[in-house]
Amino acid sequence: MGKITGFLDIERKEVGYEPVNERIVHFREFVVELTEDELRDQGARCMDCGIPYCQSGCPVNNIIPDWNDLVYRDDWKRASEVLHSTNNFPEFTGRICPAPCEASCTLNIEDNPVTIKSIEKNIAERAWKEGWVQPEIPRHRTGRSVAVVGSGPAGLACAQQLVRAGHYVSIYEKQDRSGGLLRYGIPDFKLDKMLIDRRMAQMKTEGVRFHSGTHVGVDIPVSYFLDNFDVMVLAGGSEEPRDIEVPGRNLNGVYFAMDFLRSNTRRVQGQSTADEEFISAEGKDVIVVGGGDTGSDCIGTSIRQGCRSVTQIEILSEPPEKEDKGLTWPNWPHKMRTSTSQAEGCKRIWDVKTQSIEGDDSGQVAALNCIKVAWDHADGQWKMRDIEGSELTLKADMVLLAMGFVHPVYKGLLETLGVDIDNRGNVKAGNRGANAYQTSLENVFVAGDMRRGQSLVVWAIHEGRQCARAVDIHLRGKSDLPL
């Protein structure tokens, strides 16, 4: 693939970023892209490695070596066709996916993988610029109807595949605008919301109907969907946040991360109303509890709002600077990573457990009382213990809880439907065969985080596509949608 000696002749080159002092004063994307010639060179680095581990590392099984080669050969249109054959929304994943494909790249054995993510994003944007992305309107309609509940990446991917198969598809979203996690959970500086609107316009032309501001099970009874649609697809995500039960949890100034991020996104997009509470970090000492991507998004948002300081605490131990390739490759490695938001000015503390939250006389949060912990491995399990005498107090005017999500919200839709729940708290469904993605109710299917638990956007797209195929088979007895 690519240039035969490309991986020997050409060094990996990554994208650049606006300087920190320039990008933290706005909420726009700040990546400085490679030039077309540089991208062609990076595509040339893809080697004929025999077994393309990058494809198995990618949840949607992108045909990565093929479109790397096509970019090298300057056939961007064909590269776009190959890319879109496995991924409905490469402009999303090209921005926010952590790129497990690059971790699986054979060249990553020497820490020098192909810049797959950057090439993917630029193929997608080139396709939009050149007008190659067009609505794919089916020649025939099946007369069957599907209601998709949830407009995040799983719901959008499922809906687009089903409408292209000829079914009538309607998406229902409880928020005032569609997009789910993409719209309100990911800051604008990582994902411009214009990209969602652009895809929605394509999907509307293909025949998908969007119903925003409609909370299924609250605004419209669940029975309406069971009576008026042939199939119902649950794609509402994993929205129940993980909480901490410590003294002071209910003080003012302690928020779940998603409430904070949603509030900011609505303000940035000009959607907030006068009676809505705007959660601002301006002039405050912010503590982010949780070391994942959502916590990182809270850091970048707090800095752009003008916080005095931001500290991120993590209950787990600090990862190693470099992974052991012999043990991990081509799987996703556990190693130290620093996000662009963390690089903008954040203190990180590891092995820390919150014991209580202190407040002032007005009921406002004032400090976090913590203790250092150690992790011991015995009998095949990791066990945490407090380190005596290691207590510490962190000043805090705002505390953001970003410890992930435990399962879907049960109240309303799921309780009314009465679908089975698995032992992890997610909606139970088949994995493969005739009942793939089918819940305990015959005409109700489920996809994305609501089925598999909190995961990546790229996994949600994969689940949505696979669920669409399962629904298509259920309705027609066969499917031409890809596996």
Side-chain angles (χ1 to χ4, degrees):
M1 306 303 299
K3 182 180 178 183
I4 294 177
T5 59
F7 69 98
L8 297 172
D9 302 337
I10 304 169
E11 290 297 320
R12 172 182 166 93
K13 185 169 185 179
E14 301 184 43
V15 298
Y17 303 105
E18 288 182 19
V20 171
N21 65 326
E22 294 181 11
R23 71 189 194 228
I24 62 173
V25 298
H26 64 75
F27 282 90
R28 299 184 302 275
E29 292 184 9
F30 53 82
V31 175
V32 179
E33 295 294 342
L34 302 179
T35 67
E36 187 173 314
D37 286 342
E38 289 171 333
L39 288 165
R40 189 179 299 114
D41 284 345
Q42 294 305 300
R45 296 186 64 247
C46 188
M47 60 193 298
D48 189 3
C49 56
I51 300 177
Y53 289 101
C54 56
Q55 285 185 227
S56 57
C58 173
V60 292
N61 302 124
N62 275 330
I63 311 170
I64 295 165
D66 288 30
W67 43 258
N68 279 338
D69 181 58
L70 289 164
V71 167
Y72 165 61
R73 301 182 189 284
D74 204 27
D75 191 348
W76 289 79
K77 185 174 184 179
R78 178 58 183 155
S80 171
E81 293 170 356
V82 174
L83 175 57
H84 281 91
S85 70
T86 57
N87 187 351
N88 295 68
F89 315 120
E91 67 272 31
F92 300 162
T93 52
R95 285 171 166 82
I96 59 178
C97 182
C101 54
E102 292 192 20
S104 297
C105 177
T106 301
L107 287 174
N108 190 42
I109 294 173
E110 295 185 346
D111 291 316
N112 206 24
V114 176
T115 54
I116 299 168
K117 180 178 175 178
S118 181
I119 295 173
E120 175 184 30
K121 173 186 173 182
N122 280 276
I123 293 171
E125 290 305 321
R126 176 74 174 267
W128 280 104
K129 180 181 178 182
E130 299 290 345
W132 300 330
V133 180
Q134 294 294 325
E136 298 180 23
I137 301 172
R139 294 183 179 181
H140 306 285
R141 296 288 182 181
T142 65
R144 299 299 187 93
S145 60
V146 181
V148 177
V149 182
S151 66
L156 292 174
C158 184
Q160 186 166 58
Q161 293 296 97
L162 285 171
V163 80
R164 289 175 176 179
H167 305 299
Y168 292 101
V169 183
S170 296
I171 294 182
Y172 292 84
E173 168 59 50
K174 66 181 178 181
Q175 299 294 338
D176 56 355
R177 297 184 70 182
S178 294
L181 175 74
L182 298 168
R183 175 78 66 182
Y184 289 117
I186 298 173
D188 291 59
F189 58 80
K190 287 176 65 176
L191 182 71
D192 190 321
K193 308 314 173 194
M194 172 278 294
L195 305 170
I196 306 172
D197 298 333
R198 188 172 64 179
R199 275 294 177 185
M200 285 175 58
Q202 179 199 31
M203 293 173 67
K204 287 176 181 177
T205 304
E206 291 172 337
V208 176
R209 296 170 180 166
F210 288 87
H211 304 270
S212 300
T214 305
H215 196 168
V216 175
V218 177
D219 300 325
I220 304 177
V222 174
S223 58
Y224 170 83
F225 298 91
L226 298 176
D227 294 340
N228 291 279
F229 290 88
D230 294 299
V231 165
M232 190 176 186
V233 174
L234 310 178
S238 180
E239 291 190 301
E240 191 70 41
R242 181 172 283 106
D243 207 344
I244 51 174
E245 297 181 5
V246 297
R249 165 62 183 87
N250 295 321
L251 287 167
N252 295 326
V254 182
Y255 303 98
F256 284 120
M258 285 304 301
D259 294 335
F260 172 66
L261 294 173
R262 186 182 297 112
S263 168
N264 185 76
T265 296
R266 290 182 58 79
R267 174 66 67 92
V268 170
Q269 294 298 310
Q271 297 170 240
S272 56
T273 58
D275 59 345
E276 285 185 53
E277 178 191 11
F278 174 58
I279 305 174
S280 176
E282 185 177 359
K284 297 177 181 178
D285 293 305
V286 179
I287 304 294
V288 178
V289 183
D293 289 339
T294 302
S296 178
D297 292 342
C298 288
I299 292 167
T301 300
S302 297
I303 290 172
R304 283 161 178 76
Q305 287 185 352
C307 67
R308 183 186 297 114
S309 70
V310 57
T311 302
Q312 184 177 35
I313 63 174
E314 169 62 72
I315 199 168
L316 299 176
S317 298
E318 182 174 350
E321 195 66 33
K322 188 177 185 305
E323 74 273 29
D324 185 334
K325 299 289 186 184
L327 292 177
T328 61
W329 182 86
N331 298 316
W332 182 251
H334 177 62
K335 68 175 184 178
M336 173 63 79
R337 292 179 173 84
T338 300
S339 71
T340 54
S341 291
Q342 290 164 337
E344 290 167 357
C346 165
K347 182 180 180 181
R348 303 168 76 181
I349 308 177
W350 308 88
D351 294 314
V352 173
K353 183 179 75 174
T354 303
Q355 291 187 304
S356 65
I357 305 174
E358 286 186 22
D360 58 21
D361 294 338
S362 67
Q364 181 71 27
V365 62
L368 232 67
N369 294 318
C370 306
I371 189 169
K372 297 285 284 184
V373 299
W375 292 90
D376 301 319
H377 191 261
D379 300 324
Q381 291 185 326
W382 287 98
K383 295 183 179 179
M384 181 182 69
R385 59 179 172 84
D386 296 347
I387 300 176
E388 187 177 349
S390 66
E391 293 83 1
L392 65 155
T393 298
L394 302 173
K395 186 179 184 303
D397 302 308
M398 176 186 284
V399 176
L400 301 174
L401 305 179
M403 302 168 293
F405 304 86
V406 291
H407 53 65
V409 173
Y410 298 142
K411 187 176 180 180
L413 172 61
L414 296 184
E415 285 184 349
T416 304
L417 277 173
V419 291
D420 289 349
I421 303 298
D422 65 20
N423 58 9
R424 296 185 303 141
N426 302 313
V427 177
K428 187 176 182 179
N431 292 315
R432 55 178 60 87
N435 67 337
Y437 296 88
Q438 190 175 36
T439 71
S440 54
L441 301 180
E442 182 182 4
N443 294 322
V444 179
F445 288 69
V446 63
D449 290 1
M450 189 172 269
R451 187 189 81 95
R452 67 177 290 117
Q454 178 189 350
S455 191
L456 304 175
V457 166
V458 68
W459 269 115
I461 294 172
H462 167 83
E463 291 254 326
R465 288 171 62 90
Q466 293 300 298
C467 181
R469 178 178 170 82
V471 170
D472 195 28
I473 292 172
H474 176 72
L475 292 174
R476 298 195 303 135
K478 61 178 183 178
S479 180
D480 296 323
L481 295 174
L483 287 167

